[in-house]
Amino acid sequence: MVINRYTVSCGTCQTNHTLRISLGTDRYQEHTFPCVNCGEDMSVRLDIDFDDWGKFDNLPGFKAPKTKFSTVSNCEVCQAEGTVINLDPNFLVPENFLHNKYYFSSLHQAERLGAFERIEKTKNSFSGKQILDIFSLVGGFRNLREKLDFLIKAWSLHNRGKENLALEYLDKLAEDLFDKSYPLHESIQMFSALFIGEERSEEMKTILNEIKEAKRKNSLQYYNLRSYYLEEHVEDCLERHLESFSDYLKNYDDLLQLYLYAKQKQKIPEDISLSSKRFRNLKMFYGNIYEHITSSIFILAGINNILSGRNFDIFEQMALKKYMTINKANRANPFKDRHSFAPVVKCLDSTLRNASHHGAMKLQINSNIIQYRSGGTGALNTISYTEYLQKCNEMMFSSCMLLIVELRILKNWI
């Protein structure tokens, strides 16, 4: 709950700002926000050294990690105070507290996300001197940016045959996260399970039980589906999931702001200010991950066919060859009545995808509202940037759930 203060002036109009930046859970954090006067974006960065903690002269016994503040674009450090701006990488800041010089977003938002309820429910298991990590209590884990980077590098190195280097990064991934280092596919599965969190663990368990039932009901057709996946799709499917993780990392500072809320399936109020807003970088994220997910859900469609008493490649109205050519917006239709699979596909929005891929999305000036048209010429729709970020996180969760399914089938862990 440490907040550092810095003063910067806008590089465009020289308006001064006093930044109250909450120290987050990663070794560095970036914030992109509009100037309160001219509206032009400014960007700053905070590097945090969690291995070097210092004391406060006016707060005996209190320590905080050492930090290094730097400007990134369109601003410079100044001496004079200005309009207060509250910035937080992990938690949202209500609009009416954006300029409040006493607001602690981590404390207030952690309460909203149920941290203190969890403390109350589990207080008997804590020792009297134990320090509680509020971030972990609401479903987060520290150094997520770094862990994502380690996972992506290990995966990429493995694909290029650099096994020794891949193992080094798997060891780094395991530190403070797993009880020991695991091979690549186990590490990917375990990380994906941590990423989607407890709220979706039961949904994931139900999906895997459905696959087990399909295998029990008709093992021949299950293994035929597995063979089809291994022979025709495994490399492309796994590569798409790797791309999704990479895209998430590239847009981490924006997406992380809604990560915990999406993870807990929280409804986000409209009066929210974002501490980072780089819409230009994030325009294509939804459309790209939509393509990745809809390219892989044939696996669920095949399992549904088996559960429905048919061969894995026979649908009610077509065969698999035809199914793989239909519009991706319709590929979840064959199992729309199998509610156990709904958590993977309920976040799919073809209108938003089409707008993303046709460059028909625009963030309104001095606003939190995105305007978009399906296919570039359809009806005009609107969505808040906050909701868009939440949808992007939900899509990432769906990708992780599909990835777990694919790894279970690939490694014959069902």
Side-chain angles (χ1 to χ4, degrees):
M1 298 183 196
V2 177
I3 293 179
N4 286 4
R5 290 170 58 94
Y6 307 95
T7 50
V8 298
S9 63
C10 172
T12 302
C13 68
Q14 288 72 57
T15 298
N16 291 344
H17 300 72
T18 298
L19 308 181
R20 296 180 73 248
I21 304 180
S22 297
L23 271 60
T25 54
D26 292 291
R27 297 189 187 279
Y28 76 89
Q29 59 195 62
E30 290 190 13
H31 301 276
T32 299
F33 54 95
C35 168
V36 295
N37 180 47
C38 70
E40 289 295 305
D41 282 347
M42 300 184 289
S43 294
V44 298
R45 171 170 171 151
L46 197 62
D47 288 82
I48 307 173
D49 188 350
F50 291 111
D51 298 319
D52 187 4
W53 290 61
K55 295 181 179 180
F56 288 79
D57 294 335
N58 57 338
L59 293 172
F62 186 80
K63 293 183 179 181
K66 298 287 184 66
T67 59
K68 177 185 177 182
F69 175 80
S70 57
T71 58
V72 177
S73 65
N74 194 38
C75 61
E76 58 183 24
V77 174
C78 66
Q79 300 303 315
E81 296 284 334
T83 302
V84 169
I85 303 287
N86 285 301
L87 302 172
D88 193 312
N90 300 115
F91 298 102
L92 297 173
V93 178
E95 194 74 44
N96 59 323
F97 286 105
L98 177 61
H99 306 300
N100 187 304
K101 61 182 179 180
Y102 302 113
Y103 184 67
F104 281 80
S105 50
S106 56
L107 183 63
H108 289 86
Q109 295 298 309
E111 180 181 15
R112 175 185 167 187
L113 290 169
F116 304 121
E117 292 177 11
R118 294 191 182 192
I119 291 174
E120 186 64 28
K121 289 179 181 178
T122 56
K123 63 182 179 181
N124 292 334
S125 63
F126 298 127
S127 65
K129 296 182 179 180
Q130 186 170 350
I131 298 175
L132 302 179
D133 183 352
I134 283 184
F135 190 66
S136 64
L137 284 170
V138 295
F141 53 98
R142 294 186 173 272
N143 296 318
L144 175 56
R145 188 202 302 266
E146 187 177 68
K147 297 302 184 182
L148 270 170
D149 187 44
F150 292 157
L151 181 75
I152 292 165
K153 284 183 178 177
W155 200 344
S156 180
L157 288 164
H158 167 81
N159 289 343
R160 294 202 301 274
K162 305 295 184 180
E163 295 298 340
N164 289 337
L165 278 173
L167 289 174
E168 289 182 19
Y169 279 97
L170 289 175
D171 288 341
K172 293 179 180 180
L173 174 69
E175 290 177 7
D176 304 318
L177 197 61
F178 308 141
D179 57 343
K180 62 178 182 178
S181 183
Y182 289 88
L184 178 68
H185 291 125
E186 287 91 333
S187 295
I188 296 171
Q189 179 186 239
M190 293 171 68
F191 180 87
S192 297
L194 281 175
F195 189 86
I196 65 175
E198 294 179 4
E199 291 292 326
R200 287 170 175 78
S201 61
E202 285 302 313
E203 296 173 346
M204 191 73 249
K205 183 178 178 180
T206 299
I207 293 170
L208 294 176
N209 284 338
E210 291 275 47
I211 299 174
K212 290 177 184 177
E213 175 60 19
K215 181 180 179 181
R216 185 201 65 77
K217 187 172 184 177
N218 193 329
S219 61
L220 174 62
Q221 285 304 312
Y222 169 80
Y223 281 108
N224 284 344
L225 170 61
R226 181 173 182 270
S227 296
Y228 171 72
Y229 171 69
L230 295 179
E231 293 169 7
E232 303 287 341
H233 295 283
V234 62
E235 290 185 7
D236 289 341
C237 284
L238 294 182
E239 181 66 23
R240 282 191 286 266
H241 290 301
L242 175 59
E243 287 181 17
S244 294
F245 274 127
S246 297
D247 286 347
Y248 194 95
L249 185 60
K250 290 174 185 174
N251 296 284
Y252 183 84
D253 291 294
D254 274 30
L255 291 169
L256 185 68
Q257 298 170 103
L258 270 294
Y259 171 68
L260 289 174
Y261 301 86
K263 196 172 186 178
Q264 289 201 19
K265 303 181 181 180
Q266 287 270 337
K267 185 177 180 181
I268 306 302
E270 291 296 322
D271 59 338
I272 286 295
S273 175
L274 293 168
S275 296
S276 186
K277 192 187 293 185
R278 286 185 283 194
F279 177 64
R280 289 189 183 92
N281 296 1
L282 204 60
K283 278 184 180 180
M284 293 292 290
F285 183 89
Y286 186 92
N288 287 338
I289 198 168
Y290 181 101
E291 289 295 300
H292 298 335
I293 291 170
T294 51
S295 294
S296 292
I297 58 175
F298 71 87
I299 295 175
L300 298 182
I303 293 296
N304 181 69
N305 288 338
I306 298 171
L307 291 171
S308 300
R310 300 187 297 269
N311 291 352
F312 86 91
D313 55 353
I314 301 298
F315 295 76
E316 284 187 356
Q317 299 178 353
M318 67 187 78
L320 179 62
K321 186 175 181 180
K322 174 66 175 177
Y323 169 83
M324 295 300 290
T325 66
I326 65 173
N327 192 308
K328 289 181 179 178
N330 299 321
R331 292 195 184 175
N333 289 346
F335 54 88
K336 63 182 179 181
D337 294 327
R338 193 164 298 280
H339 302 300
S340 53
F341 291 166
V344 175
V345 297
K346 66 182 180 182
C347 55
L348 297 178
D349 183 338
S350 60
T351 301
L352 193 56
R353 175 268 175 205
N354 292 339
S356 173
H357 267 217
H358 288 88
M361 299 177 69
K362 180 181 179 181
L363 183 64
Q364 293 181 305
I365 296 175
N366 298 326
S367 170
N368 192 42
I369 300 299
I370 297 171
Q371 291 183 334
Y372 65 97
R373 296 181 186 274
S374 177
T377 58
L380 183 65
N381 299 279
T382 60
I383 183 175
S384 71
Y385 190 47
T386 312
E387 186 181 355
Y388 178 71
L389 291 177
Q390 190 172 36
K391 283 181 176 289
C392 288
N393 274 289
E394 289 170 350
M395 292 289 274
M396 193 67 226
F397 297 146
S398 290
S399 178
C400 286
M401 294 174 83
L402 263 179
L403 178 55
I404 291 172
V405 167
E406 291 181 43
L407 289 175
R408 289 292 188 101
I409 292 175
L410 168 66
K411 304 299 289 187
N412 211 12
W413 291 335
I414 296 293

